[in-house]
């Protein structure tokens, strides 16, 4: 049967859980086998299960039901071939449909395994190292993280789409007790994953490595003295190659016409890559992997090997150089910590295992939520950059810290910053909680001039508490927490649970002396100047607006003065059809503008007054308006002007009396003044003040008396025009 082989896998339904993991290396050909105690609980629990296969004469079939309590029947084209067997195998003698019927009255969970294949033409003799030989193209796993099934106890590759993975399944039939040989091309660093998928009888699978001149016997990969399928006996074998050549697989059976299939996957060597710590994510691969993590020196990486142990070593990046830090074995299903060296900013992890999957996480062991590990001693010099000493907030805030035994941390020093007046008195009390029987604390006051220790207080537990109090000066001081008689004895990097503690602070301030002045920084001066200009512009904006408005009023008033007889002009506009609303707007504008003119000029701008009254203190003038300009129908519009010649008026009011009949009622006033009934409230009117208002009156009287009353220079005062203003001109 020498020659090229042909493989056709028509039906292969195999589901994965795990049984054992043999590991093969080119240098150590021994096999390592791990047997699982539990069998998988799988798939089929239906009362009836049927399968059918299109077959041709000469095909071979092997069907294993894997169901102990089931009854079954195998038939071809309706003719029964066999019944109630767990293992059906043989050769098809006619074209047609091969049918399997399984009855499962006990609803047993089982996973049947099917293999139907044509007769193969694999080589039956092992080639010599330098002879030509047909090679099989195995299925290649492109991305390791996506191939490994992290739920599999043997970390076999994913099997969801096993029949669709081209080159993954190789099947055949041994004839006349002769061996079948299969060749695979391999290169350095590659890992070949093998699995024995199905066998209808006893079988042995062995491997040989050949280069152009020599051959190495890699020993037996799998052996079974009876039927076998992956669903019942999950298995996997990994072989890693350190040199280029070819792998020869030998399939052997003592039983003639043994129907078999194996799975072959090629895993290529992956180069170094940057990885991120994502909680609940997995990092998987084969053979060896170099992973780099960017993290600070107070973050410990946490790895949990899934199912199988993984050898590792790691290095820390310090000032551009990788420094060897530690090594060990990740034990399956146990969280293990990797601690970086101080001042490092990255970790490089190197893994070695036939196959691996790691769960990743991280934890910070910095003190006071600063991201820094508190130093063990205060800074020696005042010029030392003390930013790496975590700040202890004394203003009633609880600060937390820990002694990270894995890095031999036995003392933490915190920085205290006091900023207040020069001669102020500062009282600090610090209380530590935790395993205080092991702790010693020290409060250190520094002399800010020569950096010597002005005073120190060292305390241990007393009366069930651990606290210290001191009066300190303004400036920088330090507080130390230490472990005394530390009983933890471990190598650096070996994980030991940390000892945690909390610091509660109390602070009292008595301000004495003069309040200090601190010059502003450049940014404060820059933005302060911008803010002053901006706020100044905002404050000036109303004044500018008022100035512009007043100027426009005066210009408008001068235009009115040149035209004069403003009331006749308004009447003519009404006659010409201009709306009363537009005329009211022009009137309101004119009332405001005319008040900026001299009294005589203002009066002449309106025209000859219909009412005029003058004393040594006040002048009053009145004009009738065209009734068509009013808002209210039947209302009588008039204009009243008031000029304060001398004195200052307070709570001034303009009163409109009816000489006869019912009192007048004011309907509207322009500009807006407060009014009620027949009075308009003008409030305060000072010397030289000129006010013109338009009033709409409703009532039945034929004239109105106009009176101004209030307090003149603090004394009650009233003046009334001696003449009434008639409603109609003929009166």
């Amino acid at each position: 049967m020498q020659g090229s082989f042909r493989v056709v896998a028509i039906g292969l339904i195999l589901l994965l859980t795990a049984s054992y993991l043999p590991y093969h290396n080119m240098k150590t050909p021994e096999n390592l086998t791990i047997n699982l105690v539990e069998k998988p609980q799988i798939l089929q629990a239906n009362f009836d299960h049927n399968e059918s296969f299109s077959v041709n004469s000469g095909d071979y079939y092997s069907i294993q039901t894997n169901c102990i309590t089931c009854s079954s029947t195998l038939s071809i084209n309706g003719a029964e071939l066999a019944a109630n067997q767990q293992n059906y195998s043989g050769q098809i003698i006619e074209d047609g449909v091969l049918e399997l019927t399984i009855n499962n009255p006990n609803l047993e969970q089982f996973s049947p395994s099917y293999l139907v294949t044509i007769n193969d033409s694999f080589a039956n003799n092992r080639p010599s190292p330098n002879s030509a030989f047909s090679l099989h193209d195995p299925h290649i796993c492109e991305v390791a993280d996506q191939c490994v099934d992290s739920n599999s106890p043997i970390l076999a590759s994913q099997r969801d789409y096993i029949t669709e993975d081209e080159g993954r399944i190789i099947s055949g039939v041994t004839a006349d007790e002769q061996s079948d040989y299969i060749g695979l091309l391999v290169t350095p660093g590659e890992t070949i994953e093998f699995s024995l998928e199905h066998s209808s009888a006893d079988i042995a699978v062995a491997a040989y490595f050949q280069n152009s001149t020599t051959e190495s016997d890699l020993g037996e990969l799998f052996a079974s003295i009876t039927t076998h399928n992956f669903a019942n006996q999950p298995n996997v074998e990994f072989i890693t190659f350190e040199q280029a050549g070819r792998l020869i697989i030998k399939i052997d059976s003592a039983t003639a016409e043994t129907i078999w299939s194996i799975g072959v996957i090629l895993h290529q060597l992956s180069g170094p890559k940057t990885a991120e710590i994502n909680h609940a994510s997995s990092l998987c691969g084969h053979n060896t992997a170099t992973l780099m993590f960017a993290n600070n020196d107070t973050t410990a990486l946490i790895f949990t090997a899934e199912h199988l142990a993984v050898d590792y070593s790691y290095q820390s990046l310090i000032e551009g150089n990788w420094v060897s830090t530690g090594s060990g074995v990740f034990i399956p299903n146990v969280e293990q910590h990797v601690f970086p060296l101080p001042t490092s900013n990255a970790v490089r992890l190197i893994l070695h295992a036939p196959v691996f999957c790691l769960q990743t996480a991280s934890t910070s062991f910095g003190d006071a939520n600063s991201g820094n590990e508190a130093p063990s001693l205060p800074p020696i010099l005042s010029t030392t950059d003390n930013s790496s000493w975590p700040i202890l907030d004394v203003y009633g805030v609880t600060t937390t810290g820990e002694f990270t035994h894995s890095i031999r941390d036995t003392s933490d020093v915190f920085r205290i910053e006091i900023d207040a007046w020069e001669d102020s008195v500062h009282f600090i009390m610090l209380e530590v909680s935790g395993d205080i029987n092991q702790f010693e604390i020290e409060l250190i006051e520094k002399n800010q001039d020569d950096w010597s220790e002005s005073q120190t207080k060292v305390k241990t537990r007393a009366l069930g508490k651990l606290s210290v109090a001191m009066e300190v000066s303004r400036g920088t001081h330090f507080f130390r927490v230490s472990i005394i008689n530390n009983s933890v004895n471990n190598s650096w990097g070996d994980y030991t649970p940390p000892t945690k503690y909390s610091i509660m602070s109390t602070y009292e301030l008595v301000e004495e002396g003069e309040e200090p002045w601190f010059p502003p920084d450049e940014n404060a001066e820059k933005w302060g100047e911008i803010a002053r200009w901006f706020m100044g512009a905002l404050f000036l904006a109303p004044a500018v607006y008022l100035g512009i408005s007043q100027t426009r009023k005066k210009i408008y008033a001068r235009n009115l003065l040149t035209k004069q007889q403003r009331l006749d002009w308004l009447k003519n506009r009404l006659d010409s059809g201009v709306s009363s609303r537009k005329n009211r707007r022009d009137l309101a504008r004119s009332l405001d503008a005319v008040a900026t003119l001299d009294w005589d000029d203002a009066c002449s701008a309106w025209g000859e007054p219909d009412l005029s009254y003058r004393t040594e203190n006040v002048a009053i003038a009145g004009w009738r308006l065209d009734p068509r300009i009013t808002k209210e129908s039947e209302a009588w519009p008039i204009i009243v002007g008031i000029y304060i010649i001398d004195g200052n008026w307070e709570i001034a009011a303009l009163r409109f009396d009816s000489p006869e009949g019912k009192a007048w009622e004011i309907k509207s006033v322009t500009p807006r003044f407060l009014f009620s009934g027949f009075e308009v409230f003008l409030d305060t009117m000072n010397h030289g003040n000129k006010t013109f208002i338009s009033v709409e009156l409703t009532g039945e009287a034929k004239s109105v008396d106009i009176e101004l009353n209030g307090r003149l220079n603090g004394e009650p005062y009233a003046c009334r025009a001696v003449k009434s203003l008639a409603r109609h001109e003929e009166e």
Side-chain angles (χ1 to χ4, degrees), residues 430-443 456-469 479-485:
L430 302 172
E431 182 177 350
V432 176
S433 61
D435 193 359
I436 59 176
N437 291 324
Q438 299 185 52
F439 297 163
E440 177 185 82
I441 59 176
E442 180 182 15
L443 185 56
T456 63
K457 287 186 178 180
V458 179
K459 297 289 184 179
T460 56
R461 177 182 176 180
L463 301 177
K465 295 176 61 178
L466 180 58
S467 62
V468 62
F479 177 67
R480 178 179 60 84
V481 184
S482 302
I483 285 187
I484 54 177
N485 301 323

mmCIF file of all heavy atoms in Angstrom, residues 430-443 456-469 479-485:
data_model
loop_
_atom_site.group_PDB
_atom_site.id
_atom_site.type_symbol
_atom_site.label_atom_id
_atom_site.label_comp_id
_atom_site.label_asym_id
_atom_site.label_seq_id
_atom_site.Cartn_x
_atom_site.Cartn_y
_atom_site.Cartn_z
ATOM 1 N N LEU A 430 -1.911 60.853 66.566
ATOM 2 C CA LEU A 430 -2.052 59.779 65.588
ATOM 3 C C LEU A 430 -2.278 58.471 66.325
ATOM 4 O O LEU A 430 -1.541 58.137 67.261
ATOM 5 C CB LEU A 430 -0.803 59.679 64.712
ATOM 6 C CG LEU A 430 -0.437 60.949 63.934
ATOM 7 C CD1 LEU A 430 0.914 60.794 63.263
ATOM 8 C CD2 LEU A 430 -1.506 61.272 62.901
ATOM 9 N N GLU A 431 -3.313 57.725 65.887
ATOM 10 C CA GLU A 431 -3.631 56.434 66.495
ATOM 11 C C GLU A 431 -3.640 55.367 65.409
ATOM 12 O O GLU A 431 -4.253 55.549 64.355
ATOM 13 C CB GLU A 431 -4.987 56.481 67.194
ATOM 14 C CG GLU A 431 -5.344 55.172 67.886
ATOM 15 C CD GLU A 431 -6.658 55.244 68.642
ATOM 16 O OE1 GLU A 431 -7.199 56.365 68.784
ATOM 17 O OE2 GLU A 431 -7.150 54.189 69.081
ATOM 18 N N VAL A 432 -2.961 54.252 65.670
ATOM 19 C CA VAL A 432 -2.816 53.166 64.702
ATOM 20 C C VAL A 432 -3.689 51.999 65.142
ATOM 21 O O VAL A 432 -3.700 51.622 66.322
ATOM 22 C CB VAL A 432 -1.344 52.726 64.573
ATOM 23 C CG1 VAL A 432 -1.223 51.536 63.627
ATOM 24 C CG2 VAL A 432 -0.491 53.886 64.079
ATOM 25 N N SER A 433 -4.418 51.419 64.185
ATOM 26 C CA SER A 433 -5.222 50.228 64.452
ATOM 27 C C SER A 433 -4.739 49.099 63.559
ATOM 28 O O SER A 433 -4.192 49.328 62.481
ATOM 29 C CB SER A 433 -6.708 50.513 64.204
ATOM 30 O OG SER A 433 -6.930 50.882 62.856
ATOM 31 N N GLY A 434 -4.962 47.889 63.976
ATOM 32 C CA GLY A 434 -4.485 46.698 63.278
ATOM 33 C C GLY A 434 -3.939 45.728 64.306
ATOM 34 O O GLY A 434 -4.409 45.676 65.456
ATOM 35 N N ASP A 435 -2.931 44.964 63.923
ATOM 36 C CA ASP A 435 -2.288 44.040 64.864
ATOM 37 C C ASP A 435 -1.271 44.829 65.683
ATOM 38 O O ASP A 435 -0.048 44.695 65.516
ATOM 39 C CB ASP A 435 -1.623 42.899 64.097
ATOM 40 C CG ASP A 435 -1.211 41.757 65.019
ATOM 41 O OD1 ASP A 435 -1.426 41.878 66.247
ATOM 42 O OD2 ASP A 435 -0.680 40.753 64.515
ATOM 43 N N ILE A 436 -1.787 45.687 66.585
ATOM 44 C CA ILE A 436 -0.928 46.674 67.253
ATOM 45 C C ILE A 436 0.074 46.044 68.207
ATOM 46 O O ILE A 436 1.041 46.698 68.613
ATOM 47 C CB ILE A 436 -1.785 47.717 68.000
ATOM 48 C CG1 ILE A 436 -2.676 47.042 69.043
ATOM 49 C CG2 ILE A 436 -2.628 48.509 67.014
ATOM 50 C CD1 ILE A 436 -3.483 48.029 69.871
ATOM 51 N N ASN A 437 -0.125 44.775 68.572
ATOM 52 C CA ASN A 437 0.858 44.120 69.442
ATOM 53 C C ASN A 437 2.208 43.987 68.748
ATOM 54 O O ASN A 437 3.246 43.878 69.409
ATOM 55 C CB ASN A 437 0.359 42.738 69.868
ATOM 56 C CG ASN A 437 -0.834 42.833 70.805
ATOM 57 O OD1 ASN A 437 -0.901 43.740 71.631
ATOM 58 N ND2 ASN A 437 -1.780 41.917 70.672
ATOM 59 N N GLN A 438 2.196 43.983 67.397
ATOM 60 C CA GLN A 438 3.449 43.825 66.656
ATOM 61 C C GLN A 438 4.069 45.159 66.257
ATOM 62 O O GLN A 438 5.168 45.179 65.720
ATOM 63 C CB GLN A 438 3.202 43.019 65.372
ATOM 64 C CG GLN A 438 2.672 41.616 65.573
ATOM 65 C CD GLN A 438 2.593 40.884 64.251
ATOM 66 O OE1 GLN A 438 3.576 40.817 63.496
ATOM 67 N NE2 GLN A 438 1.433 40.337 63.946
ATOM 68 N N PHE A 439 3.354 46.284 66.498
ATOM 69 C CA PHE A 439 3.775 47.555 65.922
ATOM 70 C C PHE A 439 4.529 48.427 66.920
ATOM 71 O O PHE A 439 4.313 48.361 68.135
ATOM 72 C CB PHE A 439 2.563 48.346 65.422
ATOM 73 C CG PHE A 439 1.809 47.670 64.306
ATOM 74 C CD1 PHE A 439 0.517 48.065 63.983
ATOM 75 C CD2 PHE A 439 2.385 46.640 63.576
ATOM 76 C CE1 PHE A 439 -0.184 47.451 62.967
ATOM 77 C CE2 PHE A 439 1.696 46.018 62.559
ATOM 78 C CZ PHE A 439 0.400 46.423 62.259
ATOM 79 N N GLU A 440 5.376 49.266 66.337
ATOM 80 C CA GLU A 440 6.009 50.369 67.056
ATOM 81 C C GLU A 440 5.859 51.608 66.190
ATOM 82 O O GLU A 440 6.042 51.549 64.975
ATOM 83 C CB GLU A 440 7.493 50.079 67.297
ATOM 84 C CG GLU A 440 8.231 51.223 67.992
ATOM 85 C CD GLU A 440 9.720 50.945 68.106
ATOM 86 O OE1 GLU A 440 10.444 51.181 67.115
ATOM 87 O OE2 GLU A 440 10.141 50.473 69.181
ATOM 88 N N ILE A 441 5.510 52.747 66.811
ATOM 89 C CA ILE A 441 5.324 53.975 66.041
ATOM 90 C C ILE A 441 6.250 55.056 66.567
ATOM 91 O O ILE A 441 6.651 55.047 67.742
ATOM 92 C CB ILE A 441 3.854 54.458 66.086
ATOM 93 C CG1 ILE A 441 3.411 54.728 67.519
ATOM 94 C CG2 ILE A 441 2.942 53.436 65.434
ATOM 95 C CD1 ILE A 441 1.997 55.299 67.621
ATOM 96 N N GLU A 442 6.588 55.998 65.685
ATOM 97 C CA GLU A 442 7.488 57.095 66.051
ATOM 98 C C GLU A 442 7.061 58.351 65.309
ATOM 99 O O GLU A 442 6.898 58.330 64.085
ATOM 100 C CB GLU A 442 8.934 56.748 65.702
ATOM 101 C CG GLU A 442 9.919 57.854 66.059
ATOM 102 C CD GLU A 442 11.348 57.505 65.668
ATOM 103 O OE1 GLU A 442 11.527 56.548 64.877
ATOM 104 O OE2 GLU A 442 12.277 58.185 66.131
ATOM 105 N N LEU A 443 6.863 59.449 66.055
ATOM 106 C CA LEU A 443 6.537 60.750 65.478
ATOM 107 C C LEU A 443 7.778 61.625 65.575
ATOM 108 O O LEU A 443 8.344 61.797 66.665
ATOM 109 C CB LEU A 443 5.359 61.388 66.209
ATOM 110 C CG LEU A 443 4.826 62.706 65.646
ATOM 111 C CD1 LEU A 443 4.437 62.571 64.180
ATOM 112 C CD2 LEU A 443 3.629 63.193 66.462
ATOM 113 N N THR A 456 11.419 63.634 69.161
ATOM 114 C CA THR A 456 10.814 62.395 68.673
ATOM 115 C C THR A 456 10.087 61.723 69.825
ATOM 116 O O THR A 456 10.469 61.879 70.994
ATOM 117 C CB THR A 456 11.861 61.420 68.105
ATOM 118 O OG1 THR A 456 12.759 61.035 69.156
ATOM 119 C CG2 THR A 456 12.645 62.060 66.971
ATOM 120 N N LYS A 457 9.045 60.987 69.474
ATOM 121 C CA LYS A 457 8.323 60.187 70.456
ATOM 122 C C LYS A 457 8.108 58.803 69.873
ATOM 123 O O LYS A 457 7.570 58.670 68.773
ATOM 124 C CB LYS A 457 6.980 60.825 70.805
ATOM 125 C CG LYS A 457 7.091 62.067 71.675
ATOM 126 C CD LYS A 457 5.711 62.555 72.107
ATOM 127 C CE LYS A 457 5.823 63.780 73.014
ATOM 128 N NZ LYS A 457 4.484 64.256 73.450
ATOM 129 N N VAL A 458 8.545 57.765 70.622
ATOM 130 C CA VAL A 458 8.395 56.377 70.207
ATOM 131 C C VAL A 458 7.395 55.710 71.141
ATOM 132 O O VAL A 458 7.515 55.820 72.366
ATOM 133 C CB VAL A 458 9.744 55.630 70.233
ATOM 134 C CG1 VAL A 458 9.555 54.175 69.818
ATOM 135 C CG2 VAL A 458 10.749 56.322 69.326
ATOM 136 N N LYS A 459 6.407 55.021 70.552
ATOM 137 C CA LYS A 459 5.362 54.407 71.360
ATOM 138 C C LYS A 459 5.110 52.974 70.905
ATOM 139 O O LYS A 459 5.244 52.639 69.726
ATOM 140 C CB LYS A 459 4.048 55.196 71.236
ATOM 141 C CG LYS A 459 4.116 56.630 71.747
ATOM 142 C CD LYS A 459 4.221 56.686 73.260
ATOM 143 C CE LYS A 459 4.195 58.127 73.751
ATOM 144 N NZ LYS A 459 4.278 58.206 75.226
ATOM 145 N N THR A 460 4.742 52.126 71.873
ATOM 146 C CA THR A 460 4.200 50.796 71.602
ATOM 147 C C THR A 460 2.842 50.710 72.291
ATOM 148 O O THR A 460 2.379 51.681 72.906
ATOM 149 C CB THR A 460 5.137 49.693 72.113
ATOM 150 O OG1 THR A 460 5.380 49.907 73.510
ATOM 151 C CG2 THR A 460 6.459 49.706 71.361
ATOM 152 N N ARG A 461 2.216 49.560 72.186
ATOM 153 C CA ARG A 461 0.865 49.428 72.733
ATOM 154 C C ARG A 461 0.857 49.715 74.229
ATOM 155 O O ARG A 461 1.708 49.241 74.982
ATOM 156 C CB ARG A 461 0.340 48.027 72.467
ATOM 157 C CG ARG A 461 -1.041 47.795 73.069
ATOM 158 C CD ARG A 461 -1.528 46.403 72.839
ATOM 159 N NE ARG A 461 -2.805 46.188 73.514
ATOM 160 C CZ ARG A 461 -3.490 45.057 73.495
ATOM 161 N NH1 ARG A 461 -3.010 44.027 72.822
ATOM 162 N NH2 ARG A 461 -4.637 44.948 74.128
ATOM 163 N N ALA A 462 -0.146 50.505 74.650
ATOM 164 C CA ALA A 462 -0.332 50.808 76.068
ATOM 165 C C ALA A 462 -1.816 50.974 76.325
ATOM 166 O O ALA A 462 -2.499 51.717 75.598
ATOM 167 C CB ALA A 462 0.427 52.078 76.455
ATOM 168 N N LEU A 463 -2.316 50.270 77.328
ATOM 169 C CA LEU A 463 -3.733 50.331 77.705
ATOM 170 C C LEU A 463 -4.641 49.997 76.525
ATOM 171 O O LEU A 463 -5.697 50.599 76.330
ATOM 172 C CB LEU A 463 -4.075 51.718 78.260
ATOM 173 C CG LEU A 463 -3.273 52.163 79.502
ATOM 174 C CD1 LEU A 463 -3.651 53.580 79.894
ATOM 175 C CD2 LEU A 463 -3.502 51.195 80.661
ATOM 176 N N GLY A 464 -4.198 49.031 75.731
ATOM 177 C CA GLY A 464 -5.021 48.564 74.623
ATOM 178 C C GLY A 464 -5.043 49.483 73.418
ATOM 179 O O GLY A 464 -5.814 49.260 72.485
ATOM 180 N N LYS A 465 -4.204 50.525 73.404
ATOM 181 C CA LYS A 465 -4.178 51.464 72.288
ATOM 182 C C LYS A 465 -2.738 51.695 71.856
ATOM 183 O O LYS A 465 -1.791 51.451 72.612
ATOM 184 C CB LYS A 465 -4.816 52.803 72.684
ATOM 185 C CG LYS A 465 -6.297 52.727 73.010
ATOM 186 C CD LYS A 465 -6.829 54.069 73.483
ATOM 187 C CE LYS A 465 -6.681 55.136 72.428
ATOM 188 N NZ LYS A 465 -7.245 56.438 72.859
ATOM 189 N N LEU A 466 -2.607 52.170 70.627
ATOM 190 C CA LEU A 466 -1.291 52.538 70.099
ATOM 191 C C LEU A 466 -1.430 53.921 69.489
ATOM 192 O O LEU A 466 -1.971 54.077 68.387
ATOM 193 C CB LEU A 466 -0.822 51.522 69.055
ATOM 194 C CG LEU A 466 0.552 51.792 68.425
ATOM 195 C CD1 LEU A 466 1.642 51.847 69.490
ATOM 196 C CD2 LEU A 466 0.886 50.729 67.384
ATOM 197 N N SER A 467 -0.977 54.946 70.223
ATOM 198 C CA SER A 467 -1.144 56.320 69.752
ATOM 199 C C SER A 467 0.020 57.164 70.230
ATOM 200 O O SER A 467 0.737 56.806 71.174
ATOM 201 C CB SER A 467 -2.468 56.909 70.250
ATOM 202 O OG SER A 467 -2.491 56.954 71.667
ATOM 203 N N VAL A 468 0.192 58.314 69.581
ATOM 204 C CA VAL A 468 1.238 59.258 69.937
ATOM 205 C C VAL A 468 0.726 60.661 69.638
ATOM 206 O O VAL A 468 -0.029 60.864 68.680
ATOM 207 C CB VAL A 468 2.541 58.966 69.156
ATOM 208 C CG1 VAL A 468 2.327 59.110 67.661
ATOM 209 C CG2 VAL A 468 3.677 59.869 69.621
ATOM 210 N N ALA A 469 1.110 61.636 70.473
ATOM 211 C CA ALA A 469 0.672 63.021 70.300
ATOM 212 C C ALA A 469 1.869 63.942 70.483
ATOM 213 O O ALA A 469 2.791 63.653 71.259
ATOM 214 C CB ALA A 469 -0.432 63.372 71.286
ATOM 215 N N PHE A 479 6.277 60.445 60.219
ATOM 216 C CA PHE A 479 5.673 59.471 61.127
ATOM 217 C C PHE A 479 6.038 58.079 60.632
ATOM 218 O O PHE A 479 5.855 57.758 59.454
ATOM 219 C CB PHE A 479 4.154 59.647 61.155
ATOM 220 C CG PHE A 479 3.443 58.639 62.014
ATOM 221 C CD1 PHE A 479 3.604 58.633 63.388
ATOM 222 C CD2 PHE A 479 2.610 57.686 61.441
ATOM 223 C CE1 PHE A 479 2.946 57.704 64.185
ATOM 224 C CE2 PHE A 479 1.948 56.750 62.222
ATOM 225 C CZ PHE A 479 2.121 56.765 63.599
ATOM 226 N N ARG A 480 6.572 57.245 61.532
ATOM 227 C CA ARG A 480 7.038 55.908 61.164
ATOM 228 C C ARG A 480 6.214 54.845 61.873
ATOM 229 O O ARG A 480 5.922 54.955 63.066
ATOM 230 C CB ARG A 480 8.518 55.744 61.528
ATOM 231 C CG ARG A 480 9.091 54.351 61.228
ATOM 232 C CD ARG A 480 10.569 54.276 61.582
ATOM 233 N NE ARG A 480 10.795 54.546 62.990
ATOM 234 C CZ ARG A 480 10.687 53.629 63.961
ATOM 235 N NH1 ARG A 480 10.360 52.375 63.653
ATOM 236 N NH2 ARG A 480 10.913 53.953 65.221
ATOM 237 N N VAL A 481 5.837 53.791 61.109
ATOM 238 C CA VAL A 481 5.185 52.606 61.661
ATOM 239 C C VAL A 481 6.084 51.419 61.344
ATOM 240 O O VAL A 481 6.473 51.218 60.188
ATOM 241 C CB VAL A 481 3.782 52.381 61.049
ATOM 242 C CG1 VAL A 481 3.098 51.195 61.718
ATOM 243 C CG2 VAL A 481 2.930 53.629 61.178
ATOM 244 N N SER A 482 6.428 50.618 62.363
ATOM 245 C CA SER A 482 7.350 49.496 62.169
ATOM 246 C C SER A 482 6.788 48.243 62.818
ATOM 247 O O SER A 482 5.957 48.303 63.735
ATOM 248 C CB SER A 482 8.725 49.805 62.778
ATOM 249 O OG SER A 482 9.274 50.974 62.224
ATOM 250 N N ILE A 483 7.265 47.096 62.307
ATOM 251 C CA ILE A 483 6.974 45.807 62.941
ATOM 252 C C ILE A 483 8.159 45.437 63.817
ATOM 253 O O ILE A 483 9.319 45.490 63.377
ATOM 254 C CB ILE A 483 6.730 44.713 61.888
ATOM 255 C CG1 ILE A 483 5.356 44.891 61.249
ATOM 256 C CG2 ILE A 483 6.806 43.338 62.508
ATOM 257 C CD1 ILE A 483 4.962 43.768 60.323
ATOM 258 N N ILE A 484 7.876 45.090 65.050
ATOM 259 C CA ILE A 484 8.942 44.648 65.960
ATOM 260 C C ILE A 484 8.836 43.137 66.131
ATOM 261 O O ILE A 484 7.751 42.568 66.142
ATOM 262 C CB ILE A 484 8.841 45.371 67.322
ATOM 263 C CG1 ILE A 484 7.441 45.209 67.915
ATOM 264 C CG2 ILE A 484 9.185 46.839 67.172
ATOM 265 C CD1 ILE A 484 7.284 45.843 69.289
ATOM 266 N N ASN A 485 9.984 42.494 66.234
ATOM 267 C CA ASN A 485 10.045 41.031 66.390
ATOM 268 C C ASN A 485 9.295 40.336 65.259
ATOM 269 O O ASN A 485 8.420 39.493 65.484
ATOM 270 C CB ASN A 485 9.470 40.607 67.752
ATOM 271 C CG ASN A 485 10.215 41.235 68.914
ATOM 272 O OD1 ASN A 485 11.438 41.385 68.862
ATOM 273 N ND2 ASN A 485 9.476 41.623 69.953
#
